[in-house]
Amino acid sequence: MKKTVFAAAVFFAVSFALNAQSYNNITIVDSNFENGNMDGWAPRGDKQEKLEIVTDIKHGGASSLHVFNRSYTWHGPIHSLTDNAVADDIYSISAWIYFKDGPATGAFTFSVEKSFKDTKKDHTYQNVTSFQAKKGEWTEFKTEYTVGADPTQAGIWMYFELPYKEDNLVTPNDKIDFWIDDIKIVKLDPALRPKAEVTIPNLSEKWQNYFDIGTAVSADEVNFSSQQAQLLMKHFTVLVAGNDMKMETVQPKEGAFDWAPAERIIDFAEMTGMRLRWHPLVWHSQNPAWLFQDKANPARAVSKDALNQRLKTYIQTIMRRYRNRIESYDVVNEPLSDTAGLRKGSEGSKYYDILGQEYIDNAFRWAREADPNAQLVINEYGLEGDARKRQEMYNLVKGMKERKVPVDAVGLQMHIDIRTPSVQQIRETIELFASLGVKVLITEMDMSIYTGNSEAKKPASAAILLEQAQRYKDIFAVFREQSQKGNLGDMVVIWGASDNTSWKNDFPVPGRTDAPLLFDGRLQSKPAFWGLVDPSKVKGLK
Ligand code: 9MR
């Protein structure tokens, strides 16, 4: 699970439980820094930053923990949970944070570090959630974290930091002191864990005459004994990795492929009879640093020939390995600029700058050579609502077809929101690309409850969830219609199963939780789910 959000229902349950004494929650860390010792908290940065117990600034009682002498965003206090954490444990974490320098509001991040039994493997750092604090005021922070079921894991730590920036990009505001107090880490009674509903209809079955329905997952979610896996097996028939098939994970060092995370997903899909997509092969983001560096002199950029060779090897190594097992590939992801033409270095893509625009054709040709049967997709976001971008994708794919480049489908990511784009824009976009003789695949659908980055955090009220259900229902009606016309590919993929796993939490606004998916953080079916399987169950749906 990439991110976990705090669900109000859980806290209700917990406080009820504590009063009624009926649940066995176990307090693992209860640090009020009153007794003069650090209670297991230590500086992360090899003692560059410092921790001290102070009495001039405190939340409750007479003292708090002061974090100072920080040089990087990631400098902050860390606590080990290695001896406590067991797969599927849910921890409830709360703390009070204070700062007095820098901007009027400051963002802080709660994160989890893991090490592995294979000590050669790099540690992983997961930003669980971020939150905003006001300068000069104590702010309470609460979240939950579910321990993934990873048999290769060794150590696990929890820590507080500022939102990550590369070390050479930090500003004075990233180095501010902060104070933290009354930190509680509580292991929740297993009886409080979310439970998938077993008696409701199966989502995919409802749509099986038109297409399969898939979802993005992480390797941590596909553990048979977990409730998250029960949810996946019940409702979805296609899987793709949200992150674990990206090059930074698959080929962290040149020639050293790490298949383990992707293959936990692939194995799970094959054991449960689900179909598979691979996302992505060529993308400007989440790449290892070595990819664009010259081998002999990493300070220099890689040459055109060497980068072409690296891409060809990467694409073909993966596609030969999974020939006849993975059906559909995002061969090139997000090639278009947000302003004009193809995405270039100025928008984070080095491919165009180093290789020229033919990198796209080449990638598809290498892909076809490696697996003649796989569906080859060019994947992009924002095509429905942005006429300029849509036209550029049209021109790009038209040119590819004319040059006999083997492209089978245009992927519409469909990271949309509760108001835009319109149903009619979605229909027209599908029809436009289908007119080129390619299929249209829905690859990453979700629906934010917010209409913009400036909208403040709000609860997912009944009215919002109804509006969302109506829109999911209307858009799936277009998918049905387009599938009947032969325009749509035979998979519709949703970017996550339950709201707590969505990338939309804390992004693009730290501390803002979203609810873009069909199941909530407790794995319960939302009105949007019912809009797709039995609208009569939701009062007010048209
Ligand atoms: O869901 C992914 C999220 O966990 C990552 O933090 C993020 C980092 O770039 O990538 C997310 O997935 C993206 C996908 O790979 C490409 N299309 C946009 C998706 C959402 O950002």
Side-chain angles (χ1 to χ4, degrees):
M1 234 173 271
K2 172 91 180 100
K3 287 166 183 163
T4 312
V5 296
F6 161 62
V10 176
F11 269 84
F12 175 76
V14 174
S15 51
F16 168 79
L18 292 177
N19 295 336
Q21 299 286 306
S22 55
Y23 289 111
N24 263 328
N25 296 325
I26 304 167
T27 301
I28 305 291
V29 172
D30 187 1
S31 305
N32 53 27
F33 306 106
E34 295 301 308
N35 53 10
N37 85 46
M38 300 281 186
D39 207 18
W41 292 94
R44 292 189 72 213
D46 216 8
K47 306 209 170 58
Q48 294 169 54
E49 81 275 47
K50 295 196 166 44
L51 305 183
E52 63 174 352
I53 292 173
V54 295
T55 53
D56 53 338
I57 294 178
K58 63 253 171 180
H59 175 249
S63 44
S64 78
L65 186 68
H66 177 206
V67 187
F68 65 109
N69 208 36
R70 301 178 54 256
S71 312
Y72 302 116
T73 57
W74 50 272
H75 276 170
I78 188 164
H79 199 290
S80 170
L81 281 183
T82 302
D83 296 335
N84 293 286
V86 171
D88 286 334
D89 274 349
I90 300 179
Y91 283 92
S92 148
I93 301 106
S94 60
W96 290 81
I97 292 254
Y98 178 96
F99 72 101
K100 61 186 175 71
D101 300 306
T105 37
F108 294 85
T109 302
F110 170 75
S111 304
V112 170
E113 176 171 346
K114 289 179 184 170
S115 68
F116 298 89
K117 287 177 187 152
D118 174 357
T119 49
K120 289 198 288 297
K121 235 183 124 177
D122 290 341
H123 289 207
T124 58
Y125 307 94
Q126 174 187 0
N127 304 137
V128 177
T129 189
S130 296
F131 56 100
Q132 310 266 9
K134 280 209 185 99
K135 180 155 74 182
E137 282 176 29
W138 282 95
T139 301
E140 188 175 23
F141 152 80
K142 285 179 178 180
T143 195
E144 281 186 11
Y145 173 77
T146 304
V147 180
D150 180 352
T152 69
Q153 185 187 306
I156 178 166
W157 297 264
M158 294 187 171
Y159 59 97
F160 292 87
E161 60 182 336
L162 265 65
Y164 181 72
K165 275 188 202 161
E166 302 266 351
D167 289 353
N168 58 350
L169 297 179
V170 299
T171 66
N173 287 345
D174 299 314
K175 303 195 223 178
I176 54 169
D177 291 11
F178 63 90
W179 287 256
I180 189 160
D181 205 357
D182 298 326
I183 312 175
K184 275 208 167 75
I185 302 181
V186 177
K187 192 192 266 227
L188 298 188
D189 189 314
L192 289 168
R193 289 179 191 168
K195 229 174 151 30
E197 297 158 290
V198 288
T199 56
I200 60 176
N202 300 0
L203 174 67
S204 284
E205 236 171 77
K206 235 29 219 184
W207 292 87
Q208 62 188 0
N209 294 340
Y210 308 103
F211 38 75
D212 277 314
I213 300 185
T215 188
V217 294
S218 74
D220 279 353
E221 287 171 67
V222 292
N223 153 44
F224 277 102
S225 61
S226 75
Q227 287 299 312
Q228 193 78 22
Q230 303 303 309
L231 188 76
L232 299 173
M233 288 189 283
K234 183 168 171 65
H235 296 291
F236 298 96
T237 43
V238 182
L239 289 185
V240 63
N243 288 296
D244 298 318
M245 295 169 175
K246 293 173 180 170
M247 205 197 293
E248 66 179 4
T249 304
V250 176
Q251 199 183 189
K253 301 191 176 85
E254 185 158 22
F257 284 77
D258 181 1
W259 304 109
E263 287 193 356
R264 286 169 61 198
I265 296 170
I266 293 169
D267 290 348
F268 179 85
E270 291 183 340
M271 282 189 272
T272 56
M274 296 201 221
R275 304 168 69 194
L276 282 159
R277 302 200 71 238
W278 183 284
H279 164 88
L281 288 170
V282 180
W283 187 31
H284 62 276
S285 189
Q286 289 179 278
N287 285 310
W290 66 263
L291 178 64
F292 298 109
Q293 294 168 353
D294 180 74
K295 200 166 190 166
N297 179 2
R300 283 183 32 203
V302 63
S303 70
K304 179 170 178 174
D305 283 353
L307 183 56
N308 268 322
Q309 194 50 51
R310 283 173 182 174
L311 279 187
K312 181 174 183 188
T313 304
Y314 185 67
I315 292 171
Q316 299 202 331
T317 304
I318 293 168
M319 293 190 71
R320 293 210 164 103
R321 183 179 177 93
Y322 298 117
R323 212 159 152 158
N324 300 324
R325 293 169 68 191
I326 291 176
E327 287 181 55
S328 175
Y329 286 83
D330 289 332
V331 178
V332 175
N333 189 36
E334 302 175 2
L336 295 180
S337 158
D338 285 326
T339 52
L342 292 177
R343 182 184 291 270
K344 308 201 171 63
S346 55
E347 284 175 288
S349 178
K350 299 204 167 89
Y351 292 120
Y352 181 93
D353 292 6
I354 300 176
L355 302 176
Q357 67 173 39
E358 67 266 25
Y359 85 88
I360 301 175
D361 289 9
N362 285 335
F364 278 83
R365 292 201 164 108
W366 294 326
R368 176 60 84 229
E369 200 175 281
D371 185 346
N373 299 320
Q375 179 189 52
L376 307 182
V377 181
I378 185 159
N379 197 38
E380 188 53 89
Y381 64 85
L383 300 179
E384 314 82 32
D386 180 342
R388 189 274 315 164
K389 210 172 176 184
R390 188 196 313 162
Q391 189 59 41
E392 302 217 67
M393 179 58 96
Y394 179 88
N395 297 344
L396 176 62
V397 175
K398 187 161 178 281
M400 290 169 78
K401 298 283 284 181
E402 283 161 7
R403 295 189 296 276
K404 304 253 176 309
V405 177
V407 55
D408 299 315
V410 173
L412 303 184
Q413 293 186 359
M414 294 263 291
H415 295 293
I416 62 175
D417 73 39
I418 195 143
R419 295 279 158 78
T420 60
S422 73
V423 171
Q424 182 56 17
Q425 284 175 313
I426 294 171
R427 173 184 288 115
E428 284 170 9
T429 305
I430 297 174
E431 294 191 335
L432 179 73
F433 293 127
S435 74
L436 287 168
V438 293
K439 295 282 183 198
V440 173
L441 209 67
I442 309 301
T443 53
E444 307 183 15
M445 184 173 180
D446 50 23
M447 191 191 295
S448 175
I449 62 170
Y450 300 97
T451 51
N453 298 355
S454 56
E455 207 184 329
K457 179 174 177 171
K458 63 184 180 190
S461 66
I464 289 172
L465 294 179
L466 176 63
E467 195 178 335
Q468 184 182 55
Q470 184 69 52
R471 207 160 133 70
Y472 260 110
K473 175 175 179 282
D474 294 346
I475 292 173
F476 267 64
V478 172
F479 294 165
R480 179 191 308 139
E481 160 203 302
Q482 294 299 316
S483 149
Q484 284 169 324
K485 288 189 171 178
N487 292 342
L488 213 64
D490 65 350
M491 299 171 174
V492 169
V493 180
I494 298 176
W495 207 240
S498 55
D499 285 338
N500 56 318
T501 66
S502 173
W503 70 290
K504 292 269 181 183
N505 294 313
D506 296 313
F507 186 85
V509 183
R512 195 172 82 172
T513 48
D514 210 328
L517 302 170
L518 302 179
F519 298 90
D520 68 17
R522 311 295 300 161
L523 312 187
Q524 304 302 291
S525 50
K526 293 167 61 185
F529 167 85
W530 291 102
L532 300 187
V533 303
D534 184 358
S536 75
K537 292 279 194 309
V538 185
K539 237 176 90 189
L541 266 194
K542 292 192 283 290

